[in-house]
Amino acid sequence: MRLLASEFLKLRTTRTPWVLFGIAVAISGLIAAGFAGFGGLDAENEDTPALALAQAASFFGILATVAGILLVTNEYRHGTVMTTFLGEPRRERVLGAKLVVALLTGAAFGLAAMAVSTLVAAPWLAARGEPSLLGGELLEGSGRVVLAYALSAALGAAVGAILQNQVGAIIAVFVWFLVVESIISVLSGLIFADDLGDRDPITPYLPGSALGGVVGGEGNEFLLRGGWAALLALAYVAGLSLLGALSMTRRDP
Amino acid sequence: MIEVESLTKRFGKVLAVDGLSFRAEPGKVTGFLGPNGAGKTTTLRALVSLLHPTSGTATVLGRRYVELENPGQRVGAILEVNAFHPGRSGRNHLRTLALASGIDQSRVDTVLALVDLSAAANRRVKGYSLGMKQRLALAGALLGEPEVLILDEPANGLDPQGIRWLRDLLKRLADQGRTVLVSSHVLSEMALLADDVVIIAKGRSITQAPIETILASGGRGTRVRTPQRGALAAALKREGIESTPFEDDALVSSAEAPRIGELAAREGIVLHELSAVAESLEDVFLQLTEGESTPS
């Protein structure tokens, strides 16, 4: 508990997490507006408006990943990891506390992103006479966004613990999610398209797809959706956290 | 109590610490002295489990640091002058440390006042001078009222008043029965700060002894400035004390300052300066570490 309180205070007392939070919220609002404006929430879509909105809100989950990375790598970058380890020399506990803080921080990002998206989209939908957003579907969509953001942030903390280098970890995460997974997806599509039709055996199981699948949607890459995607994403987070704990305890600061 | 036993640490091809053994006792300020790159910081980090020794042990209060209960309340340490997030205020930095170690938050303001940083406490560390950062680091080390203090170059960045203040503080803490281990690469600083001195070079122990013994081994001297140099030299001679003229108006003697001062008072001789010769201390250091260090 002491460690958790300390980690939360560390998070609150620097500016960058607040800036990231602000960006995530602002972008979610913009995307929601754009989505609504270009018919993404219309009734003829396959996804319900609430689910479409949830997808829009989860678009920049990578900002939560960056926040998670900073939670760990800021300490290595500024040398505060030494005073942190003086207070708690069992380093795996420090990482444990940071993972919990990352999960909760990510959840807060997700909640704020979804709230802003809803606030932006609701009047627009109402003006068009669409059915109200409020209801069980919105609640479910919000839950999914919160879960996706929480897992994204924890994944960032784990990657930060593995690499410890701030710039390296941020670049690695962006390159993986935006470049590597796309390349794998394209290659996999070329190789397996003939034999298996639409059933790509690799892409749905990559971490980025799994995180995306938590919120779901009709995209081909989200063969895993909802609970299964969340379970797979959680497995990725757990595996990377284990590697992170090894890296933190083995490599001296 | 700090005990280092046959400590060895190898970084790839570099042997940073090579079979080092020494101890620091409670109630004393132990100086840990050596040229830059001698292995001081490596040793101190091994003491607080910030690095894994290749072989040997480094224990604090009889245990490896990682095995201590509530280490943050029992041991205070400075391992790096500038280990702060630049965007966080000094007070918030200390609050995070206090929270993590279960130390009462009221201690934060107490130690801030102790190191004279109360006025700057709410400013971001980014704007602190080196001396202020050094004092903030010291505040962090003192937060838990620790039984053991491990300080790596705490005098770096302090001005002469700051060093004198640090000396008084460390002496006071040692007098309360705490163990204080202080590293430095400047011997004259150590002569002011320490009771015992451990000298290392190239990761090996050169000597461990009370500071007086080490100073004496180098022919400790006193410098006297007086307008009556001839009279003082004659008076010293009558007491069987040799002296050598130095510069225009000074003498250097192997006798201790109080003895010369008392003699001068008895003889009614005016003294303008009476001081231990610091240069000879550096000479001792250089002799002891000769051939062990590489000039940087």
Side-chain angles (χ1 to χ4, degrees):
Chain A
M1 274 327 281
R2 296 189 333 203
L3 279 179
L4 283 182
S6 176
E7 290 301 330
F8 268 117
L9 186 62
K10 282 180 199 166
L11 188 70
R12 282 199 294 117
T13 51
T14 54
R15 285 181 189 173
T16 325
W18 293 107
V19 172
L20 285 172
F21 187 79
I23 294 175
V25 167
I27 285 184
S28 302
L30 283 175
I31 291 180
F35 226 63
F38 287 104
L41 301 178
D42 292 357
E44 63 267 22
N45 287 315
E46 287 169 316
D47 297 330
T48 63
L51 192 56
L53 202 59
Q55 280 188 276
S58 66
F59 207 67
F60 272 78
I62 199 158
L63 287 171
T65 309
V66 172
I69 289 174
L70 294 182
L71 210 57
V72 177
T73 55
N74 255 342
E75 296 241 38
Y76 281 92
R77 182 172 167 206
H78 299 297
T80 50
V81 72
M82 283 191 262
T83 44
T84 300
F85 287 165
L86 286 176
E88 180 47 271
R90 289 163 295 188
R91 301 177 192 173
E92 63 283 355
R93 291 192 177 209
V94 172
L95 179 59
K98 286 185 182 294
L99 285 167
V100 172
V101 171
L103 282 168
L104 294 173
T105 307
F109 270 58
L111 200 62
M114 190 61 186
V116 169
S117 302
T118 309
L119 285 177
V120 169
W124 191 87
L125 285 171
R128 301 249 323 235
E130 303 280 347
S132 167
L133 268 171
L134 297 172
E137 281 188 346
L138 182 68
L139 216 60
E140 188 197 327
S142 306
R144 289 177 177 218
V145 172
V146 167
L147 189 60
Y149 268 83
L151 289 169
S152 299
L155 185 107
V159 170
I162 294 171
L163 296 178
Q164 292 163 17
N165 179 290
Q166 188 161 87
V167 178
I170 292 175
I171 289 176
V173 160
F174 269 90
V175 167
W176 178 269
F177 282 145
L178 303 181
V179 182
V180 177
E181 284 207 12
S182 307
I183 291 175
I184 292 176
S185 169
V186 167
L187 289 179
S188 164
L190 286 175
I191 295 167
F192 297 108
D194 295 342
D195 307 336
L196 301 164
D198 273 352
R199 291 197 65 85
D200 179 337
I202 298 176
T203 314
Y205 306 105
L206 297 174
S209 310
L211 283 170
V214 173
V215 179
E218 288 306 313
N220 188 24
E221 70 273 29
F222 302 138
L223 282 177
L224 284 181
R225 294 203 186 85
W228 290 111
L231 217 56
L232 180 62
L234 188 65
Y236 273 115
V237 169
L240 291 171
S241 298
L242 213 60
L243 287 178
L246 276 176
S247 174
M248 259 173 119
T249 44
R250 295 279 166 84
R251 276 166 62 190
D252 294 318
Chain B
M1 173 69 85
I2 290 170
E3 284 167 296
V4 173
E5 193 62 50
S6 311
L7 183 71
T8 299
K9 178 65 185 181
R10 184 182 283 283
F11 294 107
K13 285 185 173 178
V14 181
L15 197 57
V17 178
D18 183 7
L20 180 67
S21 300
F22 71 89
R23 35 201 292 144
E25 314 266 351
K28 281 181 178 170
V29 179
T30 303
F32 191 40
L33 197 60
N36 285 321
K40 300 188 297 291
T41 300
T42 304
T43 305
L44 297 186
R45 286 188 183 188
L47 268 171
V48 290
S49 298
L50 278 178
L51 56 78
H52 301 85
T54 307
S55 64
T57 57
T59 60
V60 182
L61 296 164
R63 285 194 189 173
R64 291 195 305 136
Y65 188 86
V66 69
E67 293 164 349
L68 284 174
E69 295 226 4
N70 274 330
Q73 294 182 23
R74 306 188 67 194
V75 181
I78 303 180
L79 278 312
E80 172 84 50
V81 196
N82 197 5
F84 310 107
H85 190 293
R88 193 176 284 135
S89 73
R91 170 175 281 121
N92 280 336
H93 170 76
L94 294 176
R95 284 175 65 209
T96 66
L97 300 187
L99 271 179
S101 293
I103 296 163
D104 197 278
Q105 292 284 321
S106 68
R107 284 286 299 163
V108 169
D109 285 316
T110 311
V111 292
L112 278 169
L114 181 68
V115 301
D116 198 18
L117 275 180
S118 300
N122 291 330
R123 275 165 45 199
R124 281 140 54 96
V125 173
K126 197 183 282 181
Y128 282 20
S129 69
L130 180 60
M132 288 164 83
K133 286 178 183 168
Q134 192 65 267
R135 283 184 284 142
L136 181 59
L138 195 61
L142 294 171
L143 204 53
E145 299 186 82
E147 297 154 61
V148 174
L149 272 172
I150 296 169
L151 309 175
D152 195 10
E153 303 268 358
N156 255 4
L158 294 185
D159 53 21
Q161 287 104 313
I163 292 179
R164 200 174 315 143
W165 166 83
L166 180 67
R167 174 193 60 193
D168 294 342
L169 178 68
L170 296 184
K171 289 249 190 260
R172 205 161 65 233
L173 292 165
D175 286 344
Q176 292 164 359
R178 303 175 209 270
T179 308
V180 184
L181 181 64
V182 197
S183 82
S184 174
H185 62 280
V186 185
L187 180 62
S188 53
E189 216 169 76
M190 212 42 107
L192 287 173
L193 292 176
D195 301 311
D196 277 357
V197 178
V198 178
I199 298 182
I200 70 165
K202 285 206 170 163
R204 279 189 291 266
S205 172
I206 303 284
T207 183
Q208 171 167 20
I211 187 90
E212 291 82 11
T213 315
I214 289 182
L215 297 182
S217 71
R220 179 186 194 170
T222 305
R223 184 173 61 217
V224 198
R225 237 171 255 285
T226 165
Q228 298 161 266
R229 182 159 77 179
L232 181 62
L236 286 170
K237 189 142 195 145
R238 282 200 294 280
E239 294 284 312
I241 300 169
E242 289 301 318
S243 65
T244 321
F246 177 69
E247 291 177 358
D248 286 346
D249 58 347
L251 285 173
V252 217
S253 166
S254 59
E256 291 184 4
R259 197 156 169 221
I260 297 176
E262 283 159 19
L263 181 68
R266 259 202 325 273
E267 300 281 333
I269 293 168
V270 176
L271 299 186
H272 289 169
E273 184 197 321
L274 185 63
S275 58
V277 185
E279 289 84 351
S280 71
L281 310 189
E282 300 299 341
D283 289 342
V284 179
F285 185 39
L286 292 174
Q287 280 164 27
L288 286 170
T289 58
E290 200 162 278
E292 303 279 355
S293 64
T294 37
S296 50

